Amino acid sequence: MLIKKIFQTPRSLALLIAIIVSLLTGIGFVLISTLPKNQQLLILIAYTLFVFTITFLASLILVNLFVSKRIKPLYKALYSIDKANADLVEELDQNNLLQRLEYDLRIWVEAHADEIDRLKQMERYRKEFLGNVSHELKTPIFNIQGYVLTLLDGGLEDPTINRRYLERTEKSINRLIGIVEDLELITKLEAGELQLNMERFNIINLIEETFEALEHRARKRNITVKFDKDYSKPIWVYADKKRISQALYNLVINSINYGKDGGKTTVSITDIGTRVQVEVNDNGIGIDQKDLPRIFERFYRVDKSRSREQGGTGLGLAIVKHIIEGHKQVIGVRSSLNQGTTFSFTLDKPGR
């Protein structure tokens, strides 16, 4: 324990060297004072050389021990190299080892501080994600449980409620299936495991098919879905048709869910050289600026009660983002509260 304390700091080493020198000097003084005067000078010179040699060797040994105990582990941790003590002492002798260690250690601390912050953030997201998944799954499961218990308690024989409760049970089951399928899809997208089947297709036709699929939903909400103008000619793109259809569906249904009564959703296409830009614009409730940075996160909801009421999984926009980025394209959003929202993304044109 005492040896470990001695090599903890340079100050303790210096103290030990001072003690050694003081003891040798004291012993020498006593010995020289007992000699005849005509021999004292010669003995003093010889003894001085002896003290210098002993002190130098002791200092060298102590420095080597200090390097071995303190600097070597730090060097190994920073550079993953097990360097010999002698080499480290030589570098220390050249007056650049400590400067390099100080600089590299500072860089290492900064880099790992960022990594630690990132890991903490990931842990927060993980907990939030698990909490959201639990909540999303719990709601339809409890609904199903309630409907089934009601039917078992006699509702099954009551023709006024049995079919209605079975239909509600089916709706909750479909919502569960939707959540599981979306989770599976986004997991594959994030892991880069989903293969894109690239093909040439007319984006105008795909948007028209999306309008037709959501016509009933839009009419129910008294919202008009349309193009910004008449596109008489086809506009060809090169992408995975199925995935882009899914992205368009999610964006348009999102605009309907967050639209105002009597509102409208407008889709426009712009030629931007080797790409086309698709915009889905609505005049709905809009998004607060503080929510915009998180709008593409899994399960993030701007209006929680409203989106759950519409039956969404909370994964739609996250899936859209990963689909578009999987095509090596960009997606953006701009919005003003109570004025509306515009989502835009790009797609490549077919090669010539």
Side-chain angles (χ1 to χ4, degrees):
M1 184 64 72
L2 180 61
I3 297 296
K4 284 185 179 179
K5 285 185 178 179
I6 289 172
F7 300 120
Q8 275 185 349
T9 63
R11 181 175 293 179
S12 59
L13 283 176
L15 180 62
L16 182 60
I17 292 170
I19 291 171
I20 292 171
V21 173
S22 299
L23 287 173
L24 289 174
T25 303
I27 293 168
F29 179 77
V30 172
L31 291 175
I32 291 171
S33 62
T34 60
L35 295 173
K37 286 187 178 180
N38 58 344
Q39 295 180 4
Q40 285 182 357
L41 181 59
L42 184 63
I43 296 298
L44 181 61
I45 294 171
Y47 186 74
T48 301
L49 291 173
F50 170 75
V51 170
F52 171 81
T53 304
I54 294 297
T55 304
F56 177 77
L57 292 174
S59 301
L60 195 59
I61 291 169
L62 291 173
V63 167
N64 269 282
L65 288 171
F66 181 76
V67 166
S68 175
K69 295 286 184 183
R70 288 291 163 190
I71 295 179
K72 189 175 180 179
L74 182 60
Y75 191 96
K76 189 175 180 180
L78 277 174
Y79 307 115
S80 300
I81 299 172
D82 192 8
K83 211 165 189 181
N85 289 351
D87 294 334
L88 290 174
V89 172
E90 186 178 346
E91 283 194 51
L92 191 63
D93 236 6
Q94 294 169 0
N95 201 29
N96 59 8
L97 177 61
L98 291 179
Q99 291 177 359
R100 185 153 63 90
L101 280 175
E102 181 186 6
Y103 175 78
D104 289 344
L105 185 60
R106 187 166 62 248
I107 298 297
W108 185 90
V109 168
E110 289 174 359
H112 283 71
D114 292 339
E115 186 177 348
I116 289 168
D117 289 341
R118 184 178 61 82
L119 289 172
K120 286 180 178 177
Q121 187 179 44
M122 286 176 64
E123 178 63 13
R124 284 197 300 271
Y125 285 158
R126 185 189 68 83
K127 289 179 179 178
E128 187 175 335
F129 173 70
L130 289 174
N132 284 327
V133 170
S134 172
H135 185 88
E136 295 297 332
L137 294 175
K138 185 168 60 177
T139 303
I141 287 172
F142 283 174
N143 287 342
I144 292 168
Q145 183 186 42
Y147 299 144
V148 170
L149 288 174
T150 301
L151 292 171
L152 290 174
D153 286 343
L156 198 59
E157 285 76 31
D158 187 344
T160 61
I161 67 168
N162 55 12
R163 183 175 181 84
R164 186 167 77 250
Y165 272 47
L166 285 172
E167 286 174 350
R168 288 179 181 177
T169 300
E170 183 191 24
K171 186 177 179 182
S172 293
I173 290 171
N174 288 337
R175 185 175 177 191
L176 272 177
I177 293 170
I179 292 170
V180 172
E181 286 178 345
D182 282 354
L183 280 171
E184 184 181 15
L185 175 59
I186 202 167
T187 300
K188 287 181 178 178
L189 286 167
E190 289 181 343
E193 295 175 358
L194 195 70
Q195 296 296 319
L196 297 177
N197 299 312
M198 306 295 281
E199 59 179 302
R200 178 179 179 267
F201 62 90
N202 181 5
I203 190 70
I204 299 295
N205 288 346
L206 191 64
I207 295 169
E208 287 173 343
E209 290 172 10
T210 305
F211 287 167
E212 288 173 10
L214 293 170
E215 184 180 1
H216 177 70
R217 175 72 71 95
R219 193 184 302 118
K220 198 174 177 182
R221 300 266 308 153
N222 194 24
I223 290 174
T224 305
V225 289
K226 62 176 185 174
F227 285 106
D228 66 320
K229 63 180 182 180
D230 180 35
Y231 292 94
S232 54
K233 294 181 179 180
I235 297 177
W236 301 98
V237 297
Y238 186 70
D240 185 320
K241 186 176 180 180
K242 180 182 176 182
R243 297 306 171 194
I244 296 303
S245 173
Q246 189 172 12
L248 281 168
Y249 184 94
N250 285 346
L251 288 175
V252 174
I253 201 170
N254 186 75
S255 71
I256 293 171
N257 287 343
Y258 289 94
K260 297 175 181 176
D261 184 51
K264 62 181 178 180
T265 294
T266 307
V267 179
S268 61
I269 301 116
T270 308
D271 187 319
I272 51 172
T274 60
R275 297 177 179 177
V276 297
Q277 178 173 278
V278 181
E279 285 194 345
V280 179
N281 175 270
D282 67 64
N283 61 347
I285 63 173
I287 305 168
D288 199 318
Q289 294 302 306
K290 67 179 176 61
D291 293 312
L292 280 178
R294 300 190 63 188
I295 199 67
F296 292 110
E297 288 180 18
R298 294 172 295 183
F299 294 114
Y300 188 77
R301 299 176 185 270
V302 175
D303 186 342
K304 294 179 174 56
S305 60
R306 185 169 186 175
S307 53
R308 287 201 173 95
E309 180 187 320
Q310 300 298 329
T313 64
L315 294 167
L317 291 179
I319 288 172
V320 171
K321 179 176 183 287
H322 284 292
I323 287 174
I324 300 303
E325 289 181 350
H327 284 75
K328 295 182 172 54
Q329 302 296 316
V330 292
I331 182 167
V333 57
R334 58 184 187 274
S335 184
S336 297
L337 205 57
N338 298 318
Q339 292 183 24
T341 303
T342 300
F343 286 94
S344 62
F345 63 90
T346 57
L347 292 173
D348 282 330
K349 292 181 181 177
R352 296 291 180 187

